[in-house]
Amino acid sequence: MVASPPLATRLAERNFRRNLAALAQVQPRDGSDAWQGGVFGHPDCPLPGDWELVFARDGSISVVDQAGRFHRGCSVPLLAAREQLGAMKVSGACGCLLDPMHAAALRVVLDRLRPEQSVIAILPNLDDAMLLLHCDDFCAEIAAGRCWIVAGPDWLQQLRSCLLGQAGLAIPTQFIRTCDADVASTDVLIARSQALFGEIAAWRSRRVGEIREHSRHPSNELRRICLVGGQRFRLWNDWAFMLAGVMSRAGLEVRVFDTDNPRNATPLALAEAVAGCDAILSSGVLRADHPGPVTAQIPWITWLTQPREIPPFDQGADAAIVVDRSLFDSLRSAGWPEDRVMVADWPDASEWLLDDASGSPVTPPAIDAPAALLADIPPLNPPSDLEELSSHRLLWEFLAHQMAHDPFAAFDRAERLIDDGMQRYQIAGAGLDRRRFLEELIVPAYAVAVARILCRSGVHLALYGRGWDQFEELLRFWRGPVHNRREFRSAVAVARCLVHAVPSSRPHPIDATGRPVARYREGKVAGLLRAVRSPTQTIKPRQSLVGAVQRLWQGITARR
């Protein structure tokens, strides 16, 4: 009877096959020795004979040699990678990992990247590449365009093919190397890579110019639109995905440019996507955010739902749709003409709450259904990276104390609350990330305070979202995270009403769900409790989103 291979060997071989299959789908092979006849071309290619697959002391897969020594002398490769790369932060769209000692280094980098970021790993030694592909499963990241691997003596040729074949993959702006990497050899990798990156950047710039030069003028009828925005689900901020559906149902041909896709991270990718379209519609993205790739003749209409920095109007074919008067005033203050800005309502419930399978509205809730509060709650303790910035930590603690003492003091004055703290501790505005203090502390702390008030008042409440499990007294009300659109629709569908848990009276997408909304108003908590117990729907429709797009587009094209 033949004994089965050890578990580490079986898992490693499974990782290898899955990684190879994913790489074969996304990375070019032409002219690459590694792809044609080396490690990547042989799914059953064994590791070097003196390597034995084992579990390292931290639970990751590694190898030992015949003397029992772990690869590169490290028995805890995952823990070592976390320690060495713990402070690593990739600021651009793509990073370049140089000759990682182990798959754990690539895993740690990927885990620290945002979903729209990517990394290219360079492994000049094929044995090291083969070990990396055995020791972890990267197939999901490879398929999503987040992980790219070039290996072997012809790694530079592979890298060139990859960047030429994937016009939307960003050129790395940051090199990453672990502490145990050989400095001399990685310096060579950097020098050769940088020369190639310059060539690729020049080629892409020329291609953008060619596309702009040959781009046609928009037609006299709005038929084809390029939708620019992230398509990944975000709780209460899913507008780019929603816009695509709204415009498609209005009879327009929609070409989606998903800014969450790492393969769409370059001006060339945007220029190619826009070519042949009559207009661009974006969610929160202005033309000034992507200067260069799009000719000024193509109308760019932005739907703004949140305050942001507004660039001055540049006399181009730009327009904006906003959800409230304050955003309208911000654009006008920046010089945007009145006829280029329009206030429109959120899409109604028929656009939001369609069942994926049937295309019909979801079932109404039961009479005894709970009120639902949907919010993601990050840890509210001061982040560890604020330790070195003592004044910023003091500001965090000050705001946390204020929110714990009187959370409703932040209602419609959260920015002023931050200003008060900055003045108290004499903090300059230049180095402060105000958005972080607002979105990661004030807004979630307000939602937690609202939930506590409702629970203590005996309200039949259901909490949805990440992070509620950090509050013991709220655990029994928590129904779990909201991972995707189906779970969002399900949570809304079973709710008797929805609780508005944002410290602002500004319009909020909660009003688009078709469900009654309970909110804090006029400085009275009692009003919030009454609204939860006797919810009513009071939102009245205004200008439709599709109608606003059509009117603005017609106004722009009429002046050509």
Side-chain angles (χ1 to χ4, degrees):
M1 183 175 179
V2 179
S4 299
L7 178 59
T9 300
R10 297 200 303 272
L11 290 177
E13 290 175 348
R14 175 181 176 273
N15 290 341
F16 193 51
R17 288 191 296 270
R18 287 169 59 84
N19 288 331
L20 287 184
L23 286 167
Q25 292 294 318
V26 302
Q27 288 193 212
R29 311 181 191 187
D30 296 343
S32 167
D33 291 341
W35 278 106
Q36 296 295 336
V39 60
F40 294 116
H42 295 280
D44 298 321
C45 185
L47 290 166
D50 61 343
W51 285 0
E52 178 187 354
L53 287 158
V54 296
F55 287 111
R57 293 195 176 103
D58 58 10
S60 61
I61 298 176
S62 188
V63 292
V64 293
D65 61 19
Q66 291 179 336
R69 292 185 296 262
F70 279 95
H71 182 60
R72 296 198 184 181
C74 182
S75 63
V76 285
L78 184 57
L79 292 178
R82 287 173 178 166
E83 178 67 24
Q84 294 180 24
L85 300 169
M88 189 263 330
K89 183 176 181 180
V90 175
S91 56
C94 183
C96 187
L97 179 61
L98 302 172
D99 197 14
M101 74 160 191
H102 190 274
L106 180 56
R107 169 53 57 203
V108 170
V109 170
L110 285 167
D111 288 348
R112 292 187 62 83
L113 294 180
R114 299 188 303 273
E116 67 273 15
Q117 292 179 305
S118 60
V119 62
I120 300 174
I122 301 176
L123 296 100
N125 186 295
L126 280 178
D127 286 345
D128 290 341
M130 185 159 54
L131 175 62
L132 179 140
L133 295 173
H134 276 84
C135 290
D136 205 330
D137 185 350
F138 301 109
C139 69
E141 291 88 354
I142 293 169
R146 300 183 64 234
C147 178
W148 306 82
I149 300 172
V150 294
D154 66 335
W155 64 267
L156 189 64
Q157 182 179 347
Q158 295 175 49
L159 184 58
R160 176 181 284 105
S161 297
C162 185
L163 293 173
L164 289 175
Q166 298 287 335
L169 177 62
I171 295 172
T173 56
Q174 182 176 336
F175 291 102
I176 307 164
R177 54 184 166 190
T178 55
C179 299
D180 57 353
D182 182 83
V183 174
S185 62
T186 52
D187 281 348
V188 172
L189 299 182
I190 291 173
R192 298 182 68 187
S193 298
Q194 285 178 325
L196 174 63
F197 295 163
E199 296 175 15
I200 299 296
W203 175 81
R204 289 180 174 180
S205 180
R206 290 193 298 271
R207 281 291 299 138
V208 169
E210 292 169 0
I211 293 172
R212 283 176 54 93
E213 183 179 351
H214 294 95
S215 61
R216 67 178 181 85
H217 288 284
S219 65
N220 294 323
E221 181 182 356
L222 182 57
R223 293 175 295 184
R224 185 182 298 114
I225 198 164
C226 181
L227 193 287
V228 176
Q231 299 295 297
R232 187 175 73 253
F233 172 74
R234 296 170 173 85
L235 184 60
W236 296 124
N237 188 19
D238 203 23
W239 297 116
F241 176 83
M242 182 276 302
L243 281 177
V246 169
M247 294 300 137
S248 294
R249 287 188 283 273
L252 294 172
E253 178 185 338
V254 178
R255 182 180 297 171
V256 175
F257 184 78
D258 181 7
T259 54
D260 285 333
N261 188 337
R263 299 182 183 91
N264 288 338
T266 67
L268 176 55
L270 180 58
E272 291 177 342
V274 171
C277 292
D278 301 311
I280 298 168
L281 176 63
S282 68
S283 176
V285 181
L286 297 166
R287 190 193 300 266
D289 299 326
H290 292 277
V294 181
T295 178
Q297 284 75 29
I298 298 179
W300 187 309
I301 303 172
T302 302
W303 190 31
L304 290 175
T305 62
Q306 296 289 333
R308 58 154 291 168
E309 183 178 351
I310 305 296
F313 188 74
D314 65 357
Q315 308 303 317
D318 293 4
I321 304 170
V322 298
V323 295
D324 69 2
R325 191 72 193 184
S326 66
L327 292 172
F328 180 94
D329 293 340
S330 296
L331 287 156
R332 293 287 291 120
S333 298
W336 288 58
E338 188 170 357
D339 62 351
R340 295 292 184 90
V341 185
M342 187 171 290
V343 179
D345 202 5
W346 313 98
D348 61 26
S350 63
E351 304 287 1
W352 262 74
L353 298 176
L354 293 179
D355 181 82
D356 283 341
S358 65
S360 58
V362 295
T363 306
I367 296 176
D368 60 347
L373 193 162
L374 288 79
D376 288 331
I377 309 298
L380 300 181
N381 295 325
S384 59
D385 62 329
L386 292 185
E387 294 285 354
E388 299 176 3
L389 303 171
S390 58
S391 61
H392 289 190
R393 183 181 176 87
L394 289 173
L395 174 61
W396 187 283
E397 293 172 342
F398 166 77
L399 293 173
H401 174 77
Q402 294 293 100
M403 294 303 298
H405 177 69
D406 183 11
F408 295 103
F411 195 84
D412 278 341
R413 63 180 305 273
E415 293 283 355
R416 195 180 309 170
L417 201 63
I418 296 175
D419 291 337
D420 292 344
M422 292 173 63
Q423 184 175 0
R424 180 188 184 97
Y425 297 108
Q426 299 181 344
I427 300 173
L432 183 74
D433 184 357
R434 297 175 65 95
R435 178 204 57 78
R436 183 181 194 185
F437 284 82
L438 180 66
E439 297 179 3
E440 298 182 19
L441 175 58
I442 293 178
V443 171
Y446 179 87
V448 171
V450 169
R452 283 173 169 156
I453 289 171
L454 296 179
C455 294
R456 291 166 183 169
S457 301
V459 171
H460 185 196
L461 183 67
L463 300 172
Y464 296 89
R466 296 189 304 271
W468 290 102
D469 53 337
Q470 61 187 297
F471 308 104
E472 185 176 353
E473 74 274 26
L474 299 177
L475 261 178
R476 65 190 179 95
F477 302 95
W478 185 46
R479 303 289 181 88
V482 182
H483 297 103
N484 51 50
R485 296 176 181 99
R486 179 173 288 279
E487 292 180 359
F488 173 80
R489 281 190 292 268
S490 297
V492 172
V494 300
R496 179 171 51 88
C497 74
L498 301 178
V499 179
H500 181 264
V502 178
S504 171
S505 59
R506 293 188 63 256
H508 187 275
I510 199 171
D511 297 317
T513 60
R515 289 287 185 258
V517 177
R519 49 174 28 97
Y520 172 82
R521 284 178 177 168
E522 300 176 357
K524 297 180 180 178
V525 176
L528 171 64
L529 295 174
R530 282 196 303 270
V532 171
R533 291 171 176 140
S534 302
T536 57
Q537 184 70 24
T538 59
I539 302 300
K540 297 180 180 179
R542 302 191 301 267
Q543 168 71 43
S544 77
L545 187 61
V546 174
V549 171
Q550 294 279 5
R551 283 189 172 87
L552 288 170
W553 184 84
Q554 290 168 359
I556 293 171
T557 56
R559 289 173 171 80
R560 286 205 299 261

